């Protein structure tokens, strides 16, 4: 079975540009999560969806960040405008509905804002 | 909110058994304990989950005492490939993002 697929794997762009990260969750999974990982702050949950509906976006750092899930097989995380402090690895994960089901992570997008 | 505490780092040698303990004093009655492993340049990967007593799979064992205020991940006969960061996660209550916390994890280094 295919796991969680993220694209691109690496993104380098200049400050001020719009960045769009993409995620395809595992088919049949009800929850989708977006995380950000840095050396200083570790793994932070940004936002998560249940059945395509955003449930909690309290981890989104500021209005420059937005996330959408137009259907069950696709989600995007957008940063506009991007800043150097947004440089991090961004992970997408998905899981089944039961609260104790493990999350399945993609391999992440390494984002560098110059 | 079930906050977890783990050692920041641990070192061991190939062939040894490694035990990583996680403290979770405020664990709720319905919370399960889940451990993840993360290699460089990869996302975290589920390795084991338990509720009480002992759970064993092909990768690891998980020991949970009766009070459930801590848990110990046991890796038998480690190899260099077990070098990774290990996260303890308690409860995955999806009603709030504040209850999904990975913490800083334990950086395990295995030497030849």
């Amino acid at each position: 079975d295919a796991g969680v697929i993220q694209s691109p794997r690496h993104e380098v762009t200049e400050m001020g540009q719009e960045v769009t990260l993409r995620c395809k969750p595992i088919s049949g999974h009800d929850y989708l999560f977006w995380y950000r990982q840095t050396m200083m702050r570790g793994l932070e949950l940004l936002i998560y969806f249940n059945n395509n509906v955003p449930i909690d976006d309290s981890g989104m750092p500021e209005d420059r960040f937005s996330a959408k899930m137009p259907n069950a097989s696709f989600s995007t995380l957008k940063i506009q405008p991007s800043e150097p402090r947004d440089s991090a690895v961004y992970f997408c994960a998905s899981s089944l509905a039961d609260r104790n089901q493990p999350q399945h992570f993609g391999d992440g997008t390494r984002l560098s804002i110059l | 909110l079930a906050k977890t505490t783990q050692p920041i780092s641990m070192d061991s040698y190939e062939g040894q058994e490694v035990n990583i303990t996680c403290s979770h004093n405020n664990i709720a009655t319905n919370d399960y304990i889940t451990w993840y492993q993360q290699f460089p340049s990869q996302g975290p990967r589920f390795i084991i989950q338990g509720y009480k007593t002992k759970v064993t799979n092909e990768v690891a064992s998980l020991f949970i005492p009766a009070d459930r205020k801590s848990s110990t991940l046991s890796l038998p006969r480690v190899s260099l490939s077990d070098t990774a960061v290990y996260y303890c996660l308690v409860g995955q209550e999806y009603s709030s993002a504040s209850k999904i916390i990975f913490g800083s994890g334990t950086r395990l280094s295995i030497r030849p």
Side-chain angles (χ1 to χ4, degrees), chain A residues 14-94:
Chain A
E14 293 186 346
M15 180 175 65
Q17 296 298 306
E18 178 180 287
V19 173
T20 300
L21 310 181
R22 297 172 176 79
C23 175
K24 176 179 171 56
I26 293 173
S27 177
H29 280 192
D30 304 279
Y31 283 87
L32 183 139
F33 308 84
W34 281 102
Y35 289 87
R36 177 174 69 176
Q37 187 171 41
T38 62
M39 288 294 293
M40 290 296 294
R41 301 177 66 89
L43 195 60
E44 302 174 278
L45 177 63
L46 301 177
I47 185 172
Y48 69 99
F49 296 81
N50 179 22
N51 292 324
N52 313 338
V53 177
I55 300 301
D56 192 326
D57 64 355
S58 59
M60 297 285 260
E62 48 196 277
D63 292 344
R64 296 185 297 107
F65 286 69
S66 62
K68 294 181 180 180
M69 193 166 185
N71 57 62
S73 60
F74 183 66
S75 177
T76 60
L77 178 67
K78 187 173 295 187
I79 308 172
Q80 167 63 20
S82 58
E83 297 182 5
R85 60 192 168 122
D86 301 330
S87 298
V89 181
Y90 291 80
F91 289 104
C92 176
S94 69

Side-chain angles (χ1 to χ4, degrees), chain B residues 31-57:
Chain B
D31 284 343
Y32 276 64
I33 300 154
T34 309
W35 285 80
Y36 292 81
Q37 174 190 55
Q38 186 178 23
F39 297 115
S41 302
Q42 295 184 24
R45 180 176 70 104
F46 167 82
I47 48 175
I48 198 166
Q49 183 184 69
Y51 183 78
K52 61 180 179 181
T53 62
K54 176 184 175 182
V55 178
T56 297
N57 62 21

Side-chain angles (χ1 to χ4, degrees), chain A residues 37 48 56 99-101 103, chain B residues 30 36 38 49 92 94:
Chain A
Q37 187 171 41
Y48 69 99
D56 192 326
R99 64 189 298 272
N100 292 303
Q101 289 291 325
Q103 296 180 39
Chain B
N30 295 330
Y36 292 81
Q38 186 178 23
Q49 183 184 69
Q92 296 188 115
Y94 291 157

